[in-house]
Amino acid sequence: MALDESYGDRQSFFDQEALYDGQSILGNFSNETREAPFGAVGVVGRGPSFMCEASDVDSDPAGHTLVFDDTTYTVIRGEPDGTGMARLILEAV
């Protein structure tokens, strides 16, 4: 069953604006701690990401540009979650 949500509903959840290839999109920026496997131990690091509606970005957003808070990022990969949202994994340019 599909959720019936309005632009206002999404705007109340996604409260930050970014430019994706020059187009304004709403989402949530994060610079959270992430752990990546590396041999028997993991490597912990911080990495920027932007959660948004999957329909606002290309199905393969890798290589596209996202500008948030006056910082330009390259999208490393997109991680769709199957519910219509996608997390863009970013790298500062």
Side-chain angles (χ1 to χ4, degrees), residues 34-44:
R34 293 192 295 231
E35 184 175 348
F38 186 75
V41 296
V43 176
V44 175

Side-chain angles (χ1 to χ4, degrees), residues 3 8 21 26 35 40 62 67 73 79 82-83:
L3 295 174
D21 285 346
L26 292 175
E35 184 175 348
V67 178
Y73 298 91
E79 297 177 345
T83 68

Side-chain angles (χ1 to χ4, degrees), residues 55-74:
S55 62
D56 286 344
V57 298
D58 294 292
S59 59
D60 182 10
H64 290 264
T65 300
L66 186 110
V67 178
F68 177 77
D69 200 22
D70 295 326
T71 301
T72 301
Y73 298 91
T74 298

